[in-house]
Amino acid sequence: MIGLKDKYKDYFKIGAAVNYRTVDTHKDLLIKHFNSITCENETKYDNLQKEENNYSFDHADRILGFAKDNNMFMRGHTFVWHNQTPDWVFKDATRDILLDRMKNHMTHVGKRYEKDFYCWDVVNEAIEDKGHMFYRKSPWIDIIGEDFMDLAFTYAKEILPEADLYYNDYNESNFPKRDKIYRAVKDMLDRGVPVDGIGLQCHWNIYSPSMDDFKRAMEQYAKLGIKIQVTEMDISLYEFKDDSKLDKPSSELISRQTALYREGFKILRDYKDIVDTVTLWGVADDETWLDYFPVKDRKNWPLLFDEAHEPKEALYAIMDF
Ligand code: XIL
């Protein structure tokens, strides 16, 4: 079997989220099938700068070493987010103090990896899911104000003129959130804010989104005229609000998952001219964040390789074209 990345070489890069352990435990699959890497946690604010001006790069460096040894691209994730950001960042912060901290962090981290990371998620998950609100409530917007995204992208471009800068979010296919994401990015572009791409997390489950909705979302985002990446794809076997547990996945559930992967990748191939990378949020079903989220200690099977690192039906399905 040829590698997934080789099958897709005329379409887009194929990425995986890794952590400092899985670059060892999953290295054979990574080397064969993937040509782009995202750190699952190691390049988040709280991992890099737990205390002010006290940076720890060990884990991120180890992953970068793996990527370099194997000629893989690295994407940066993420600078401005309401999660996994240490409390000190917001403590006693005025607008100017928080902007300073934002800029310092981007400078330190961004410059260190300037030659190695080809893109960054500059802002992550800033749009509200629920209908009546536009922005998600967070200390960033509370303290800085509604221009916090404009400023984040402007600083990032000054610091990293060569990198592609992304706005990244989940529930990217659902109405009305997809309209709000589109509007937020469109307005930034109209104001001359340097956004190079839109990151669609694509944390799906076998019931949602419908592929009609995904198609509509792709159509709409394509109109922005910037790049698109799928940044965190996985397909859970549970509906989001379902807290039941399965001992093992039935063949029916696996077929639904396969069908969604097949159809999703088909749609993505139709947009190959603007889709830059499609990243899976993990490598194989033995190590996935969905074993802990949204229900703790519940097994899930969301990826393309099974717990024994063997290809699943979904892998064959997306290679069958
Ligand atoms: C997740 C990681 O996979 C987990 O290990 C961690 O405990 C929480 O964060 N959206 C994102 C990712 O942008 O950074 C999240 O990653 C998953 C949801």
Side-chain angles (χ1 to χ4, degrees):
M1 166 183 233
I2 68 163
L4 182 59
K5 67 171 186 327
D6 303 311
K7 181 77 188 177
Y8 275 85
K9 72 176 182 342
D10 298 326
Y11 291 83
F12 32 75
K13 296 188 271 300
I14 301 285
V18 300
N19 58 52
Y20 67 96
R21 293 180 312 273
T22 55
V23 287
D24 286 328
T25 53
H26 294 60
K27 71 168 183 297
D28 295 344
L29 288 181
L30 284 165
I31 291 169
K32 180 169 165 100
H33 292 286
F34 299 88
N35 50 9
S36 174
I37 293 285
T38 309
C39 296
E40 186 176 6
N41 292 298
E42 291 77 354
T43 49
K44 291 174 182 172
Y45 215 127
D46 65 351
N47 278 256
L48 292 174
Q49 200 189 170
K50 204 176 264 333
E51 291 156 26
E52 188 159 21
N53 293 322
N54 188 359
Y55 289 85
S56 26
F57 291 112
D58 287 3
H59 287 169
D61 284 354
R62 201 184 308 172
I63 293 173
L64 175 61
F66 172 82
K68 277 181 160 168
D69 287 348
N70 296 292
N71 281 318
M72 292 166 166
F73 288 89
M74 284 285 297
R75 60 185 320 279
H77 175 76
T78 176
F79 286 139
V80 176
W81 191 25
H82 61 278
N83 275 338
Q84 293 181 267
T85 304
D87 293 340
W88 70 260
V89 175
F90 307 114
K91 194 161 181 274
D92 300 326
T94 59
R95 171 180 161 96
D96 287 346
I97 289 175
L98 186 53
L99 286 172
D100 248 22
R101 289 175 181 164
M102 179 200 274
K103 201 176 196 172
N104 281 338
H105 183 79
M106 281 184 189
T107 306
H108 248 85
V109 175
K111 284 285 179 206
R112 180 183 181 94
Y113 296 123
E114 188 170 13
K115 284 196 222 64
D116 303 307
F117 286 27
Y118 78 104
C119 67
W120 270 97
D121 292 327
V122 174
V123 179
N124 196 29
E125 304 181 348
I127 304 296
E128 172 59 39
D129 289 275
K130 292 185 212 78
H132 59 284
M133 269 167 68
F134 192 79
Y135 293 109
R136 171 198 278 272
K137 197 175 158 37
S138 85
W140 293 105
I141 191 162
D142 280 353
I143 299 170
I144 298 173
E146 287 194 358
D147 58 350
F148 79 104
M149 289 216 262
D150 289 21
L151 291 163
F153 279 98
T154 305
Y155 294 162
K157 189 53 88 183
E158 279 164 25
I159 298 161
L160 302 169
E162 304 294 329
D164 280 343
L165 307 180
Y166 278 78
Y167 175 75
N168 191 45
D169 214 328
Y170 67 95
N171 281 349
E172 70 296 318
S173 303
N174 301 2
F175 181 82
K177 194 174 179 185
R178 64 169 188 254
D179 275 1
K180 290 193 266 184
I181 296 173
Y182 169 84
R183 176 55 44 205
V185 175
K186 172 90 171 64
D187 287 352
M188 282 197 280
L189 293 170
D190 289 347
R191 289 193 294 272
V193 176
V195 185
D196 300 301
I198 179 147
L200 315 180
Q201 292 188 5
C202 297
H203 288 297
W204 295 348
N205 65 59
I206 56 174
Y207 308 97
S208 166
S210 72
M211 286 300 98
D212 276 351
D213 273 337
F214 180 50
K215 220 181 271 174
R216 280 196 207 105
M218 287 296 290
E219 255 167 50
Q220 191 168 1
Y221 296 135
K223 290 194 194 123
L224 291 167
I226 56 178
K227 292 176 189 170
I228 296 180
Q229 288 201 15
V230 170
T231 52
E232 309 185 11
M233 188 175 202
D234 48 20
I235 306 183
S236 164
L237 297 189
Y238 304 92
E239 236 177 318
F240 191 72
K241 292 217 162 89
D242 176 5
D243 61 3
S244 66
K245 292 187 183 184
L246 297 163
D247 291 333
K248 65 178 176 56
S250 67
S251 55
E252 192 204 321
L253 300 185
I254 289 291
S255 312
R256 289 182 80 131
Q257 184 185 53
T258 303
L260 273 180
Y261 268 118
R262 176 186 286 112
E263 187 62 22
F265 269 75
K266 187 161 163 281
I267 294 166
L268 289 163
R269 288 196 300 274
D270 290 340
Y271 286 93
K272 75 177 171 70
D273 293 342
I274 50 173
V275 175
D276 177 273
T277 306
V278 174
T279 293
L280 279 296
W281 204 243
V283 185
D285 285 345
D286 58 326
E287 176 116 11
T288 160
W289 76 300
L290 292 177
D291 288 350
Y292 310 97
F293 179 88
V295 175
K296 221 173 166 323
D297 296 322
R298 174 185 68 178
K299 188 71 205 128
N300 207 330
W301 299 269
L303 296 164
L304 298 172
F305 295 89
D306 70 15
E307 289 166 273
H309 296 196
E310 294 299 325
K312 288 165 65 179
E313 279 173 28
L315 182 80
Y316 294 110
I318 64 174
M319 292 186 58
D320 176 27
F321 64 92

